Amino acid sequence: MSTVSNAYGDAHPLQRTPWARYRHSLWLLTTRDLKVRYSTSALGYVWSVLDPLVMAGIYWFVFTQVFERPVGTQPYLVFLLSALLPWMWFNGAVSDSTRAFLKDAKLVRSTMIPRTIWVNRIVLSKGIEFLLALPVLALFALIFRDELQLHWELVLFPLAIVLQAVLTAGVALIVAPLVVFFRDLERAVKLALRFLFYASPIIYGVTDLPTQLHFWAAFNPLSGIFGLYRAGFYPDELDWFNVAISAVMSLAILAVGLWVFRSSERQVLKEI
């Protein structure tokens, strides 16, 4: 028998390892979500870029042209986008996870795939949209190349992506099952995300906060993550204490998320 017949792509789904089957199912559901999302929109992928770009333009105009407030670091558009794009990933994934089970209730009940896939496919699809929007950040970095310098800390960008994926998955795994029992939590999550937007260093940096708040800002796990994203452009935004706190909190939230999810899975299947 040739080795080709033993390749992953030729293997029967039941002959694959559990992890391989999980990855295969996760990818199928993720690509389905992306195709449905883009096929029902005339502009498709453009919305993934246009939404954060319009938001960044509004904040740039308000804080640099109207009030001329000295927040962030110049060039301010690059400063904004380097945190706003990952925020869109976090916000979109957590917000959509509130309907992770309710939206596809029949499929969740009838399929035997691990139910965490129904949450993780949202995190992954939003993460792919984030990656597809990164050329916008690269474009503005190129436009402002005379005012901007790239630093070696740019190699930390993938670390920021990994930490954010862990954090986002953990929060989504907590939210998704709890909304099934407490439907009002869906609106509460949206309000909490709105508050978190202003409580996170997106339109400003941690260094813009009063000195007495620097320590407490570290306990927002997004602070260290956004600092990693910005470090390649603005090395002063990198604070390893914030990064360490973010890493510990992200792993802890993921552990709590897995525990909440597994503890409530049977009850969720009865409720939906």
Side-chain angles (χ1 to χ4, degrees), residues 43-57:
L43 294 179
Y45 159 72
V46 176
W47 284 115
S48 299
V49 175
L50 195 59
D51 192 13
L53 195 56
V54 170
M55 286 185 65

Side-chain angles (χ1 to χ4, degrees), residues 1-8 10-11:
M1 183 181 294
S2 65
T3 55
V4 177
S5 63
N6 292 325
Y8 171 82
D10 295 334

Side-chain angles (χ1 to χ4, degrees), residues 47-81:
W47 284 115
S48 299
V49 175
L50 195 59
D51 192 13
L53 195 56
V54 170
M55 286 185 65
I58 292 171
Y59 287 116
W60 170 83
F61 180 76
V62 169
F63 288 106
T64 65
Q65 304 301 309
V66 178
F67 295 111
E68 298 183 358
R69 298 279 298 184
V71 294
T73 307
Q74 297 300 322
Y76 189 54
L77 263 177
V78 176
F79 183 87
L80 264 176
L81 286 169

Side-chain angles (χ1 to χ4, degrees), residues 57-263:
I58 292 171
Y59 287 116
W60 170 83
F61 180 76
V62 169
F63 288 106
T64 65
Q65 304 301 309
V66 178
F67 295 111
E68 298 183 358
R69 298 279 298 184
V71 294
T73 307
Q74 297 300 322
Y76 189 54
L77 263 177
V78 176
F79 183 87
L80 264 176
L81 286 169
S82 57
L84 190 58
L85 291 178
W87 166 259
M88 299 294 285
W89 173 16
F90 179 83
N91 179 75
V94 174
S95 181
D96 285 3
S97 69
T98 59
R99 300 195 61 79
F101 294 127
L102 302 175
K103 184 179 178 182
D104 295 304
K106 291 183 180 179
L107 282 174
V108 174
R109 288 196 304 265
S110 61
T111 55
M112 296 301 295
I113 58 176
R115 269 78 190 196
T116 53
I117 282 181
W118 298 101
V119 176
N120 289 334
R121 52 121 184 183
I122 296 174
V123 176
L124 181 56
S125 64
K126 292 296 182 180
I128 291 174
E129 288 185 349
F130 161 69
L131 294 177
L132 292 175
L134 286 180
V136 176
L137 177 61
L139 175 62
F140 279 97
L142 185 62
I143 291 173
F144 293 103
R145 62 185 179 277
D146 294 335
E147 305 176 42
L148 197 65
Q149 287 186 346
L150 296 182
H151 301 268
W152 71 265
E153 288 89 349
L154 193 63
V155 301
L156 299 174
F157 208 92
L159 175 60
I161 293 175
V162 171
L163 284 180
Q164 183 170 347
V166 170
L167 173 65
T168 307
V171 175
L173 287 169
I174 295 172
V175 169
L178 293 182
V179 170
V180 175
F181 306 116
F182 310 102
R183 300 299 172 90
D184 287 342
L185 188 60
E186 182 176 352
R187 293 187 178 183
V189 166
K190 292 181 179 179
L191 288 175
L193 287 171
R194 193 174 303 171
F195 168 80
L196 187 60
F197 175 84
Y198 293 102
S200 300
I202 300 171
I203 58 179
Y204 57 87
V206 174
T207 54
D208 294 314
L209 294 172
T211 305
Q212 62 269 25
L213 294 181
H214 286 188
F215 174 79
W216 300 109
F219 292 91
N220 175 354
L222 291 174
S223 295
I225 293 172
F226 290 165
L228 283 171
Y229 281 121
R230 283 172 167 156
F233 307 106
Y234 312 98
D236 290 342
E237 291 296 317
L238 179 61
D239 186 322
W240 284 110
F241 175 75
N242 290 0
V243 173
I245 295 295
S246 294
V248 171
M249 290 188 67
S250 296
L251 291 171
I253 290 172
L254 178 61
V256 172
L258 289 170
W259 176 79
V260 169
F261 193 93
R262 290 170 180 169
S263 300

